[in-house]
Amino acid sequence: MLAAYANAIDPDDPVSGLVVGERPDPQPREGWTTVTVKAAALNHHDLWTLRGVGIRPDQLPMILGGDAAGIDEDGNEVVVHSVITSPGWTGDDTLDPKRSLLSEVYDGTLAEKVLVPRRNLVAKPASLTFEQAACLPTAWLTAYRMLFVKANLAPGSTVLIQGAGGGVSTASIALGKAAGLRVWVTGRSEAKRDAALALGADQVFESGARLPERVDAVIDNVGQATWAHSLKSLKPGGAIVTCGATSGPNPPSDLNRVFFLQLQVLGSTMGTREELQQLLALLDTTGLRPQVDSVLPLADAESALKKLANGDVQGKIVLVP
Protein backbone atom coordinates (compact mmCIF):
# COMPACT_ATOMS: atom_id res chain seq x y z
CA MET A 1 0.00 0.00 0.00
CA LEU A 2 1.05 3.61 -0.51
CA ALA A 3 2.15 5.37 2.68
CA ALA A 4 4.05 8.43 3.90
CA TYR A 5 6.59 7.33 6.48
CA ALA A 6 9.58 8.50 8.49
CA ASN A 7 12.65 6.69 7.22
CA ALA A 8 15.27 8.90 8.88
CA ILE A 9 15.47 11.55 11.59
CA ASP A 10 16.76 15.06 11.00
CA PRO A 11 16.06 17.71 13.68
CA ASP A 12 17.09 20.56 11.35
CA ASP A 13 15.46 19.42 8.11
CA PRO A 14 12.65 17.09 9.20
CA VAL A 15 10.97 16.60 5.82
CA SER A 16 14.23 15.20 4.41
CA GLY A 17 13.56 12.01 6.37
CA LEU A 18 10.15 11.47 4.75
CA VAL A 19 9.53 8.78 2.14
CA VAL A 20 6.31 8.36 0.19
CA GLY A 21 6.24 4.85 -1.15
CA GLU A 22 5.04 1.28 -0.73
CA ARG A 23 4.73 -0.36 2.69
CA PRO A 24 3.33 -3.78 3.62
CA ASP A 25 -0.40 -4.01 4.30
CA PRO A 26 -1.34 -4.16 8.01
CA GLN A 27 -1.22 -7.66 9.48
CA PRO A 28 -4.19 -8.97 11.54
CA ARG A 29 -3.90 -8.53 15.31
CA GLU A 30 -6.32 -9.79 17.97
CA GLY A 31 -8.71 -7.04 19.04
CA TRP A 32 -7.62 -4.75 16.21
CA THR A 33 -9.19 -4.03 12.84
CA THR A 34 -8.15 -2.52 9.51
CA VAL A 35 -9.65 0.76 8.32
CA THR A 36 -9.50 1.76 4.67
CA VAL A 37 -8.44 5.39 4.89
CA LYS A 38 -10.53 7.88 2.92
CA ALA A 39 -8.92 11.01 4.36
CA ALA A 40 -6.11 11.80 6.82
CA ALA A 41 -5.12 15.16 8.29
CA LEU A 42 -1.64 16.45 9.10
CA ASN A 43 -0.51 17.65 12.52
CA HIS A 44 2.67 19.22 13.88
CA HIS A 45 3.15 15.88 15.63
CA ASP A 46 4.17 14.48 12.22
CA LEU A 47 6.98 17.03 11.97
CA TRP A 48 8.09 16.32 15.54
CA THR A 49 8.31 12.63 14.67
CA LEU A 50 10.53 13.44 11.69
CA ARG A 51 12.69 15.50 14.08
CA GLY A 52 13.08 12.46 16.34
CA VAL A 53 10.83 13.62 19.19
CA GLY A 54 8.98 10.71 20.81
CA ILE A 55 10.52 8.09 18.56
CA ARG A 56 13.84 6.22 18.38
CA PRO A 57 15.81 5.48 15.21
CA ASP A 58 15.36 1.74 15.78
CA GLN A 59 11.56 2.20 15.40
CA LEU A 60 11.90 3.39 11.81
CA PRO A 61 10.39 3.12 9.29
CA MET A 62 7.22 4.46 10.92
CA ILE A 63 4.12 5.52 8.99
CA LEU A 64 3.15 9.03 10.05
CA GLY A 65 -0.28 10.40 10.91
CA GLY A 66 -2.76 10.31 13.77
CA ASP A 67 -5.99 11.55 12.19
CA ALA A 68 -8.15 9.56 9.80
CA ALA A 69 -11.67 8.82 8.65
CA GLY A 70 -12.54 5.85 6.49
CA ILE A 71 -14.39 2.56 6.10
CA ASP A 72 -14.10 -0.30 8.58
CA GLU A 73 -14.09 -3.99 7.71
CA ASP A 74 -17.90 -4.12 7.98
CA GLY A 75 -18.42 -1.23 5.57
CA ASN A 76 -19.21 1.38 8.25
CA GLU A 77 -18.04 4.99 7.94
CA VAL A 78 -15.82 5.65 10.96
CA VAL A 79 -13.48 8.16 12.57
CA VAL A 80 -10.29 6.87 14.21
CA HIS A 81 -9.53 7.82 17.82
CA SER A 82 -5.74 7.87 17.83
CA VAL A 83 -5.02 7.50 21.57
CA ILE A 84 -3.90 3.88 22.00
CA THR A 85 -4.24 2.69 25.61
CA SER A 86 -2.49 -0.27 27.17
CA PRO A 87 -4.31 -3.63 27.44
CA GLY A 88 -6.80 -3.66 30.30
CA TRP A 89 -6.71 0.09 30.92
CA THR A 90 -9.98 1.60 32.16
CA GLY A 91 -10.81 5.23 32.77
CA ASP A 92 -9.66 8.39 31.02
CA ASP A 93 -7.67 7.34 27.94
CA THR A 94 -5.32 10.30 28.26
CA LEU A 95 -4.24 9.40 31.80
CA ASP A 96 -2.91 5.94 30.94
CA PRO A 97 0.85 6.27 31.64
CA LYS A 98 1.55 3.74 28.89
CA ARG A 99 -0.68 5.36 26.27
CA SER A 100 0.64 6.30 22.87
CA LEU A 101 -0.63 8.02 19.76
CA LEU A 102 -0.74 6.38 16.37
CA SER A 103 2.65 6.80 14.67
CA GLU A 104 4.55 6.65 17.99
CA VAL A 105 4.50 2.89 18.65
CA TYR A 106 2.11 1.68 15.95
CA ASP A 107 1.96 2.78 12.32
CA GLY A 108 -0.15 5.84 11.64
CA THR A 109 -2.82 7.00 9.24
CA LEU A 110 -0.94 8.52 6.28
CA ALA A 111 -1.54 5.38 4.27
CA GLU A 112 -4.20 3.59 2.29
CA LYS A 113 -4.96 1.39 5.33
CA VAL A 114 -4.38 1.63 9.07
CA LEU A 115 -4.65 -1.01 11.82
CA VAL A 116 -6.30 0.19 15.06
CA PRO A 117 -7.98 -1.30 18.14
CA ARG A 118 -11.67 -1.92 17.49
CA ARG A 119 -12.61 0.22 20.50
CA ASN A 120 -10.89 3.19 18.83
CA LEU A 121 -13.49 3.41 16.07
CA VAL A 122 -16.25 6.01 16.37
CA ALA A 123 -19.18 6.23 13.97
CA LYS A 124 -18.87 9.11 11.49
CA PRO A 125 -22.03 11.21 11.18
CA ALA A 126 -23.38 11.13 7.64
CA SER A 127 -23.49 14.93 7.69
CA LEU A 128 -19.69 15.15 7.76
CA THR A 129 -17.48 14.43 4.77
CA PHE A 130 -14.46 12.17 5.24
CA GLU A 131 -12.20 15.19 4.79
CA GLN A 132 -14.03 17.13 7.51
CA ALA A 133 -14.11 14.18 9.90
CA ALA A 134 -10.40 13.54 9.45
CA CYS A 135 -9.64 17.01 10.87
CA LEU A 136 -11.17 16.25 14.26
CA PRO A 137 -9.34 13.54 16.28
CA THR A 138 -6.27 15.60 17.24
CA ALA A 139 -6.62 19.39 16.92
CA TRP A 140 -10.38 19.66 17.34
CA LEU A 141 -10.56 17.04 20.09
CA THR A 142 -7.70 18.79 21.90
CA ALA A 143 -9.51 22.13 21.64
CA TYR A 144 -12.82 20.60 22.79
CA ARG A 145 -11.23 19.11 25.92
CA MET A 146 -9.33 22.32 26.72
CA LEU A 147 -12.43 24.53 26.48
CA PHE A 148 -15.18 22.39 27.95
CA VAL A 149 -13.51 19.73 30.13
CA LYS A 150 -10.38 21.40 31.52
CA ALA A 151 -11.43 25.08 31.57
CA ASN A 152 -15.11 24.11 32.08
CA LEU A 153 -16.26 27.21 30.23
CA ALA A 154 -19.94 28.06 29.93
CA PRO A 155 -21.87 30.38 27.59
CA GLY A 156 -21.00 34.00 28.34
CA SER A 157 -17.46 33.26 29.53
CA THR A 158 -14.58 35.13 27.90
CA VAL A 159 -11.68 33.12 26.51
CA LEU A 160 -8.40 34.35 25.04
CA ILE A 161 -6.85 32.15 22.36
CA GLN A 162 -3.14 32.75 21.86
CA GLY A 163 -2.34 32.53 18.15
CA ALA A 164 -4.77 32.90 15.28
CA GLY A 165 -3.43 30.15 13.02
CA GLY A 166 -2.91 26.44 13.40
CA GLY A 167 -5.29 23.59 14.02
CA VAL A 168 -5.94 23.90 17.77
CA SER A 169 -6.39 27.67 17.61
CA THR A 170 -8.80 27.67 14.68
CA ALA A 171 -10.75 24.82 16.28
CA SER A 172 -10.91 26.70 19.59
CA ILE A 173 -12.26 29.82 17.87
CA ALA A 174 -14.99 27.92 16.05
CA LEU A 175 -15.97 25.72 18.99
CA GLY A 176 -15.96 28.60 21.44
CA LYS A 177 -18.19 30.72 19.24
CA ALA A 178 -20.61 27.82 18.64
CA ALA A 179 -20.88 27.30 22.41
CA GLY A 180 -21.72 30.93 23.19
CA LEU A 181 -18.35 32.04 24.53
CA ARG A 182 -16.92 35.51 23.99
CA VAL A 183 -13.83 34.70 21.94
CA TRP A 184 -10.75 36.93 21.85
CA VAL A 185 -7.74 36.00 19.73
CA THR A 186 -4.16 37.23 19.34
CA GLY A 187 -2.30 37.03 16.04
CA ARG A 188 1.11 38.09 14.77
CA SER A 189 -0.14 39.32 11.40
CA GLU A 190 -3.13 41.28 10.19
CA ALA A 191 -3.98 38.47 7.77
CA LYS A 192 -4.18 35.92 10.59
CA ARG A 193 -6.23 38.27 12.74
CA ASP A 194 -8.63 38.87 9.86
CA ALA A 195 -8.92 35.11 9.38
CA ALA A 196 -9.78 34.70 13.08
CA LEU A 197 -12.56 37.28 12.71
CA ALA A 198 -13.88 35.37 9.71
CA LEU A 199 -14.01 32.22 11.86
CA GLY A 200 -16.15 34.01 14.45
CA ALA A 201 -13.76 35.70 16.88
CA ASP A 202 -15.40 38.63 18.67
CA GLN A 203 -12.20 40.67 18.91
CA VAL A 204 -8.60 40.25 17.74
CA PHE A 205 -5.39 41.77 19.09
CA GLU A 206 -1.73 41.95 18.24
CA SER A 207 0.43 39.46 20.13
CA GLY A 208 1.10 40.72 23.65
CA ALA A 209 -1.42 43.57 23.43
CA ARG A 210 -3.16 44.90 26.53
CA LEU A 211 -6.73 43.60 26.61
CA PRO A 212 -9.85 45.67 27.43
CA GLU A 213 -10.46 43.47 30.47
CA ARG A 214 -9.23 40.23 31.96
CA VAL A 215 -10.56 36.88 30.78
CA ASP A 216 -11.89 33.70 32.39
CA ALA A 217 -9.48 31.38 30.59
CA VAL A 218 -6.59 31.37 28.13
CA ILE A 219 -5.98 28.64 25.55
CA ASP A 220 -2.23 28.56 24.96
CA ASN A 221 -0.20 26.13 22.85
CA VAL A 222 2.60 28.61 22.12
CA GLY A 223 4.37 28.39 25.48
CA GLN A 224 7.36 30.55 26.32
CA ALA A 225 6.64 33.45 23.95
CA THR A 226 3.07 34.05 25.20
CA TRP A 227 3.13 32.72 28.77
CA ALA A 228 3.66 36.03 30.60
CA HIS A 229 0.89 37.67 28.57
CA SER A 230 -1.41 34.72 29.23
CA LEU A 231 -0.97 34.95 33.00
CA LYS A 232 -1.43 38.76 33.03
CA SER A 233 -4.63 38.40 30.99
CA LEU A 234 -6.46 36.22 33.53
CA LYS A 235 -9.08 37.26 36.04
CA PRO A 236 -8.49 36.20 39.65
CA GLY A 237 -9.27 32.50 39.79
CA GLY A 238 -8.92 32.16 36.03
CA ALA A 239 -7.27 29.27 34.20
CA ILE A 240 -4.59 28.93 31.58
CA VAL A 241 -4.89 25.67 29.68
CA THR A 242 -1.82 24.51 27.80
CA CYS A 243 -1.45 21.68 25.30
CA GLY A 244 1.90 22.57 23.79
CA ALA A 245 5.01 24.71 23.85
CA THR A 246 5.99 25.43 20.26
CA SER A 247 8.07 28.48 21.29
CA GLY A 248 9.76 26.78 24.24
CA PRO A 249 8.83 24.85 27.42
CA ASN A 250 10.43 26.98 30.16
CA PRO A 251 8.81 30.41 30.53
CA PRO A 252 9.11 32.51 33.71
CA SER A 253 6.57 30.97 36.07
CA ASP A 254 5.57 34.22 37.85
CA LEU A 255 4.49 32.24 40.90
CA ASN A 256 3.63 35.38 42.90
CA ARG A 257 0.90 36.17 40.40
CA VAL A 258 -0.25 32.55 40.29
CA PHE A 259 -0.78 32.16 44.03
CA PHE A 260 -1.91 35.71 44.84
CA LEU A 261 -4.62 35.67 42.16
CA GLN A 262 -5.29 31.95 42.69
CA LEU A 263 -4.75 31.19 39.02
CA GLN A 264 -5.00 27.67 37.65
CA VAL A 265 -2.42 26.19 35.29
CA LEU A 266 -3.95 23.17 33.56
CA GLY A 267 -2.23 20.75 31.22
CA SER A 268 -4.28 19.02 28.55
CA THR A 269 -3.43 16.32 26.04
CA MET A 270 -5.76 15.06 23.31
CA GLY A 271 -9.08 13.69 24.60
CA THR A 272 -11.02 10.51 25.27
CA ARG A 273 -13.04 8.40 22.88
CA GLU A 274 -16.21 9.60 24.61
CA GLU A 275 -15.17 13.22 24.13
CA LEU A 276 -14.58 12.54 20.43
CA GLN A 277 -18.14 11.18 20.24
CA GLN A 278 -19.42 14.35 21.95
CA LEU A 279 -17.45 16.52 19.54
CA LEU A 280 -18.87 14.68 16.51
CA ALA A 281 -22.39 15.06 17.93
CA LEU A 282 -21.83 18.79 18.44
CA LEU A 283 -20.79 19.27 14.81
CA ASP A 284 -23.61 17.06 13.57
CA THR A 285 -26.31 18.98 15.41
CA THR A 286 -24.97 22.54 15.02
CA GLY A 287 -23.69 22.40 11.44
CA LEU A 288 -20.27 23.65 12.58
CA ARG A 289 -17.47 22.40 10.32
CA PRO A 290 -13.67 22.42 10.60
CA GLN A 291 -11.71 24.78 8.42
CA VAL A 292 -9.83 22.85 5.73
CA ASP A 293 -6.77 24.67 4.42
CA SER A 294 -6.27 22.31 1.47
CA VAL A 295 -6.92 18.75 0.27
CA LEU A 296 -4.00 17.04 -1.47
CA PRO A 297 -3.24 13.53 -2.72
CA LEU A 298 -1.31 11.28 -0.32
CA ALA A 299 1.41 11.17 -2.99
CA ASP A 300 1.99 14.90 -2.32
CA ALA A 301 2.71 14.37 1.39
CA GLU A 302 6.17 15.95 1.10
CA SER A 303 4.90 19.27 -0.23
CA ALA A 304 2.04 19.20 2.31
CA LEU A 305 4.45 18.73 5.24
CA LYS A 306 6.72 21.48 3.93
CA LYS A 307 3.71 23.80 3.84
CA LEU A 308 2.87 22.88 7.43
CA ALA A 309 6.49 23.41 8.52
CA ASN A 310 6.54 26.85 6.91
CA GLY A 311 3.46 27.88 8.87
CA ASP A 312 1.59 28.89 5.72
CA VAL A 313 -1.61 27.24 6.93
CA GLN A 314 -5.07 28.37 7.99
CA GLY A 315 -6.92 25.31 9.26
CA LYS A 316 -6.08 21.70 8.45
CA ILE A 317 -4.20 20.11 5.56
CA VAL A 318 -5.92 16.89 4.49
CA LEU A 319 -4.39 14.07 2.44
CA VAL A 320 -6.51 11.62 0.47
CA PRO A 321 -5.15 8.26 -0.76
Side-chain angles (χ1 to χ4, degrees), residues 50-271:
L50 289 163
R51 291 187 176 101
V53 177
I55 195 168
R56 304 183 309 273
D58 62 0
Q59 293 176 274
L60 303 180
M62 175 68 73
I63 298 174
L64 299 172
D67 290 353
I71 306 290
D72 70 9
E73 293 177 351
D74 297 320
N76 301 306
E77 296 185 353
V78 295
V79 182
V80 174
H81 178 48
S82 67
V83 180
I84 311 299
T85 55
S86 54
W89 174 261
T90 58
D92 188 320
D93 301 330
T94 68
L95 297 180
D96 179 1
K98 296 182 179 179
R99 75 185 186 278
S100 67
L101 301 180
L102 285 173
S103 78
E104 292 180 345
V105 177
Y106 307 102
D107 278 326
T109 59
L110 299 190
E112 294 177 315
K113 299 176 184 177
V114 62
L115 188 71
V116 297
R118 285 191 178 88
R119 72 172 301 275
N120 282 59
L121 298 185
V122 177
K124 181 184 80 65
S127 61
L128 293 173
T129 67
F130 286 109
E131 290 82 4
Q132 291 166 342
C135 297
L136 304 177
T138 296
W140 277 68
L141 179 58
T142 298
Y144 180 90
R145 182 177 176 90
M146 292 174 80
L147 289 166
F148 307 122
V149 179
K150 289 293 186 175
N152 196 29
L153 293 171
S157 301
T158 303
V159 62
L160 174 66
I161 297 165
Q162 292 282 21
V168 172
S169 293
T170 55
S172 298
I173 296 167
L175 285 167
K177 190 63 178 177
L181 307 182
R182 184 166 61 159
V183 179
W184 292 355
V185 182
T186 63
R188 289 179 295 175
S189 70
E190 185 176 356
K192 288 187 179 293
R193 294 192 293 272
D194 288 344
L197 288 171
L199 282 172
D202 294 290
Q203 291 192 63
V204 294
F205 306 91
E206 293 182 5
S207 298
R210 184 179 181 88
L211 304 180
E213 61 186 78
R214 292 181 177 177
V215 301
D216 297 291
V218 179
I219 301 300
D220 191 322
N221 62 19
V222 181
Q224 199 161 306
T226 54
W227 195 257
H229 182 251
S230 292
L231 289 178
K232 290 175 183 176
S233 299
L234 285 172
K235 294 177 181 177
I240 178 172
V241 189
T242 175
C243 69
T246 55
S247 66
N250 297 307
S253 56
D254 198 2
L255 289 179
N256 290 339
R257 179 179 293 273
V258 171
F259 69 70
F260 188 73
L261 296 180
Q262 301 183 69
L263 305 180
Q264 301 177 70
V265 177
L266 304 171
S268 191
T269 296
M270 295 290 288

